[in-house]
């Protein structure tokens, strides 16, 4: 009798759990790059898929294709009771601010921008820490002790990448040469592989043999130029090691996938918190990528050294200066 | 007898039946594509149609919002087309006009209200758009540079100019890194859903604003211009045969330049709807290809203002219905929606003669037969 009761109670409990799970309606809104951009937006998709696989809870997503859709779609998501709504890309911030005010009970997750509202979780990454790591590896692997950086558009965010990289490179060898170029001052700089390739070649002529691109689609040209010249390249945002196996030294990954997955899980467990989250190495928000495509480039000693530096940054023994704190790269 | 071969088929056939047949054919091919990805085409089209005309969540009003943009860019293409000019620079002309919106609003939106700002924005948009149209027009008229090539290139120049202006000048004045701040709310035309309560009805959110009325007024003005004025006559004459026009005493070069100015001004009005009324701020790439869609709208509307309104409504419905489709059926991606829109453009524009010629031939034969019968009866 008692077992039967327990069993019944158990079934009832799991039924309740199933109901409460079914009530969670997570969603993602991608920015114009599209769901499969191999970079930023795709990372949110990967995270949402991982959540779906683990919990069996499906999510809804939408790819923005014109400006007219932004407000309409976010509003419809909120009206239909989707929560949390993970919004990728700083260009969506003004719309999040508008809609989140109208729906105080809906949870929003703003990636890469800050929206200061009680129902919005804003997530910012410590890109300088991840860039420090790949900068250190770049100098470790550079034969000429000369490493290069190609930024996309010249904005503070990208200077933050470049400054972290420079610090990492000089941490390994104080005399290392670090060359840095920005592709341009307009958004077309995010998608100019030709210019990326030209800038990379110019840096190679000056002795650079490991190059890091934080330039969106421009990076593709940089990597190709590195492969053609027999040099090494470092990818960004998503793990791009697979693009040129054996030629990509590593990638500085920004774990937008984890941010998305965590947000969904927090909602599921009733632990969603609003406010600003700044995620770095310690939180697993940024990291360097080690997989089957670049393992052969590295020795055990390299990997050990990287592990030490990583621990050093997390423990605070190695201080990485954030360009945005002083608007300059003096450290 | 022989002159009867040149008889035109009835107007309802030219601007009603033929586009309808083209649309049906496009949707038939689209449904094959929908079937290929394993979805039910009937359900998909139901969602699209319901999404485009429903009033419960602002479907219809969003359709009208898109249509407003398409009417402006469609008219721009049509006016140029009557002069034999193929203006594919509507995108750039509208984009540069966005700069006028920003200039007026950023300097004056704290001091003037909507009644004073809106006319200034209209003038600014028309002027900037006209400027961006008149330069290729001048190059065509005086230097013989082909308008298709120059207008395409001016799109690229516009993109570069606007990116620079937005990032370097406009965004530091309070926006994100690639857009401007919102214009002050009492300096912007209220949207229909904001006006609705004071007019005694409820409307869900949409980007539709009374600018639609301005678009319709522009249609009327274009109709008057093309078919009821001397300039319109000159435009049509130059379009039919520039040499004959010159021989008849029309300054063809002057007409080309003026036409491109009017065309550019109409395209620029799209910024009035998008950057001023709908978005309320200047955004990078706010034109989103609406300028290019104007070509399809004008082609499908047979360069007639009334046809353009119908075509703009259709394309507005395709955009809004497409958004709903993406929303309701997750396996349909934006690319699929683009395929459906592309097929409509393909069958109405590129493959126009596939349907037009056989159908018109049927009606021409019938007209000739009727005429013959009348002649026979008269005898």
């Amino acid at each position: 009798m008692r077992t039967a009761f327990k069993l019944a109670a158990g079934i009832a409990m799991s039924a309740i759990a199933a109901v409460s799970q079914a009530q969670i309606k997570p969603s993602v809104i991608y920015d114009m790059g599209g769901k499969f951009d191999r970079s930023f937006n795709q990372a949110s998709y990967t995270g949402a898929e991982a959540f779906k696989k683990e919990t069996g809870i499906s999510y809804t997503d939408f790819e923005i294709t014109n400006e007219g859709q932004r407000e309409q779609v976010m509003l419809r998501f909120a009206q239909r009771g989707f929560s949390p709504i993970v919004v990728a890309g700083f260009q969506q911030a003004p719309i999040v601010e508008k809609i989140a005010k109208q729906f105080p009970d809906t949870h929003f997750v703003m990636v890469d921008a800050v929206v200061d509202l009680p129902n919005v979780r804003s997530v910012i990454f410590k890109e300088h820490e991840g860039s420090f790591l790949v900068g250190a590896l770049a100098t470790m692997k550079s034969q000429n002790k000369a490493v290069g950086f190609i930024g996309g558009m010249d904005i503070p965010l990208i200077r933050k990448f470049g400054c972290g990289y420079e610090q990492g490179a000089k941490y390994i060898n104080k005399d290392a040469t670090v060359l840095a170029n920005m592709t341009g001052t307009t958004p077309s700089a995010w998608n100019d592989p030709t210019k990326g390739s030209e800038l990379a070649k110019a840096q190679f002529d000056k002795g650079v043999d490991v190059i890091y691109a934080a330039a969106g689609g421009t990076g593709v040209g940089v990597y190709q130029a590195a492969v053609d010249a027999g040099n090494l390249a470092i990818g960004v945002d998503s793990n791009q090691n697979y693009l040129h196996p054996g030629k990509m030294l590593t990638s500085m990954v920004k774990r937008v996938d984890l941010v998305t997955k965590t947000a969904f899980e927090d909602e599921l467990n009733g632990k969603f918190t609003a406010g600003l989250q700044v995620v770095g190495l310690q939180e697993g928000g940024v990291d360097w990528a080690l997989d089957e495509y670049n393992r052969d480039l590295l020795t055990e000693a390299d990997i050990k050294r990287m592990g030490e530096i990583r621990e050093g940054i997390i423990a605070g023994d190695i201080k990485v200066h954030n360009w945005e704190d002083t608007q300059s790269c003096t450290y | 007898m022989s002159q009867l071969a040149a008889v035109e088929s009835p107007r309802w056939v030219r601007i009603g039946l033929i586009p309808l047949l083209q649309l049906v054919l496009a949707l038939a091919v689209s449904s094959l594509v929908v079937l290929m990805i394993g979805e039910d085409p009937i359900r998909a089209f139901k969602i699209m149609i319901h999404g485009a005309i429903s009033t419960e969540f602002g479907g219809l009003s969003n359709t009208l919002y898109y249509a407003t943009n398409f009417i402006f860019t469609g008219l721009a293409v049509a006016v140029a087309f009557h002069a034999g000019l193929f203006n594919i620079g509507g995108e750039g002309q509208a984009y540069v006009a966005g700069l006028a919106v920003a200039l007026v609003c950023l300097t004056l939106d704290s001091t003037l209200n909507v009644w004073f700002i809106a006319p200034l924005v209209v003038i600014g948009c028309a002027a900037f758009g006209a400027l961006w149209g008149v330069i290729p027009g001048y190059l065509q008229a005086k230097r013989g540079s082909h308008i298709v090539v120059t207008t395409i290139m001016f799109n690229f120049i516009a993109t570069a100019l606007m990116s620079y202006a937005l990032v370097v000048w406009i965004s530091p004045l309070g926006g994100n890194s690639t857009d401007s701040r919102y214009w002050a709310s009492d300096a912007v035309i209220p949207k229909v859903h904001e006006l609705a309560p004071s007019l005694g009805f409820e409307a869900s959110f949409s980007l539709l604003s009374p600018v639609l009325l301005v678009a319709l007024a522009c249609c009327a003005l274009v109709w008057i211009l093309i078919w009821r004025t001397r300039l319109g006559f000159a435009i049509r004459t130059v379009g039919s045969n520039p040499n004959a026009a010159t021989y008849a005493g029309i300054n063809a070069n002057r007409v080309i330049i003026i036409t491109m100015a009017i065309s550019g001004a109409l395209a620029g009005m799209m910024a009035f709807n998008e950057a001023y009324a709908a978005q309320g701020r200047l955004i990078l790439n706010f034109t989103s290809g609406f300028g290019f869609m104007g070509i399809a709208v004008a082609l499908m509307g047979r360069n007639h203002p009334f046809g353009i309104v119908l075509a703009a409504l259709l394309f507005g419905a395709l955009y809004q219905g497409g958004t709903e489709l993406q929303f309701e059926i997750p396996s349909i991606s934006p690319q699929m929606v683009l395929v459906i829109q592309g097929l409509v453009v393909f069958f109405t524009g590129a493959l126009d003669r596939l349907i037009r010629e056989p159908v018109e031939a049927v009606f021409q034969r019938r007209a000739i037969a009727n005429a013959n019968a009348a002649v026979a009866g008269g005898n």
Side-chain angles (χ1 to χ4, degrees), chain A residues 136-148 169-170 172-179 206-210:
Chain A
L137 186 62
T139 311
M140 277 151 65
K141 289 285 146 194
S142 168
Q143 274 155 18
N144 305 340
K145 296 297 165 213
V147 299
K170 301 228 162 154
I172 295 295
N173 183 341
K174 235 191 285 173
D175 303 323
T177 313
V178 183
L179 295 182
K206 291 179 188 159
V208 166
D209 54 8
V210 182

Side-chain angles (χ1 to χ4, degrees), chain A residues 69 72 76-77 80 91, chain B residues 177-178 320 323-324 327-328:
Chain A
Q69 288 177 332
Q72 187 195 354
R76 290 286 296 284
F77 270 45
R80 291 201 173 185
Q91 286 183 313
Chain B
S177 49
T178 58
Q320 169 57 19
T323 303
E324 289 303 318
F327 207 76
E328 298 288 344

Side-chain angles (χ1 to χ4, degrees), chain A residues 85-112:
Chain A
I85 304 176
V86 174
V87 185
F90 67 92
Q91 286 183 313
Q92 317 232 53
I95 309 289
V96 171
E97 191 156 0
K98 246 187 183 176
I99 307 288
K101 269 183 200 152
Q102 296 172 37
F103 293 86
D105 297 330
T106 303
H107 295 147
F108 292 81
V109 179
M110 178 76 241
V111 183
D112 256 9

Side-chain angles (χ1 to χ4, degrees), chain B residues 221-232:
Chain B
L221 290 174
V222 166
W223 182 81
I224 293 170
L225 169 76
I226 299 288
W227 283 283
R228 289 291 179 274
T229 64
R230 286 176 71 166
L231 177 61

Side-chain angles (χ1 to χ4, degrees), chain A residues 62-63 65-69 71-73 75-77 80 90-91 93-95 98 153 185-187, chain B residues 57 62 65-66 163 167 176-178 205 207 279 281 283-284 288 319-320 323-324 326-328 334:
Chain A
F62 196 93
E63 293 175 64
T65 48
N66 72 59
E67 292 294 338
Q69 288 177 332
E71 201 165 345
Q72 187 195 354
V73 166
L75 189 71
R76 290 286 296 284
F77 270 45
R80 291 201 173 185
F90 67 92
Q91 286 183 313
I95 309 289
K98 246 187 183 176
M153 188 172 145
T185 52
T186 67
Chain B
F57 48 79
N62 271 316
Y65 145 72
Y66 285 119
S163 300
V167 172
N176 274 311
S177 49
T178 58
F205 169 85
L207 293 173
Q279 302 291 353
R281 62 196 171 110
I283 310 173
L284 188 76
S288 305
Y319 264 61
Q320 169 57 19
T323 303
E324 289 303 318
Q326 249 178 281
F327 207 76
E328 298 288 344

Side-chain angles (χ1 to χ4, degrees), chain A residues 14-37:
Chain A
S14 61
I16 290 167
V19 167
S20 73
Q21 284 196 347
Q23 280 170 346
I24 290 179
K25 291 164 74 182
S27 62
V28 186
I29 301 178
Y30 310 101
D31 209 342
M32 290 215 206
K35 192 163 153 178
F36 299 111
D37 63 356

